[in-house]
Amino acid sequence: MGKREDYIPLVEAYERKVDKVISEHALISLCAYDNSSTPLEIMNNLMLCYDVLITDKEYKFLQN
């Protein structure tokens, strides 16, 4: 396993690339992350990439 600070930028870059492809092709997708094991820094940054947050308890539109 690598260090957290090494893979966080990789996850963020991947999500931005995926978001671009999804937008360009008018696709619908769902990205799922385990809230109990995903670092808070990644979760906070991912919420900047997406328009909607869905958890087991809520569904809300994000203001990005």
Side-chain angles (χ1 to χ4, degrees), residues 19-64:
D19 187 54
K20 183 178 180 202
V21 170
I22 290 168
S23 295
E24 289 173 351
H25 297 282
L27 301 172
I28 297 173
S29 72
L30 175 69
C31 298
Y33 289 87
D34 184 346
N35 197 34
S36 65
S37 64
T38 303
L40 185 59
E41 183 178 353
I42 288 180
M43 294 300 285
N44 288 336
N45 291 340
L46 289 173
M47 287 193 293
L48 298 173
C49 297
Y50 297 111
D51 298 325
V52 179
L53 172 67
I54 302 170
T55 70
D56 57 339
K57 297 180 182 176
E58 69 179 328
Y59 178 94
K60 69 179 179 178
F61 290 94
L62 303 172
Q63 303 207 357
N64 294 327

Side-chain angles (χ1 to χ4, degrees), residues 7-26:
Y7 71 81
I8 288 175
L10 298 175
V11 172
E12 293 169 5
Y14 169 80
E15 288 292 343
R16 290 187 195 288
K17 287 178 184 177
V18 168
D19 187 54
K20 183 178 180 202
V21 170
I22 290 168
S23 295
E24 289 173 351
H25 297 282

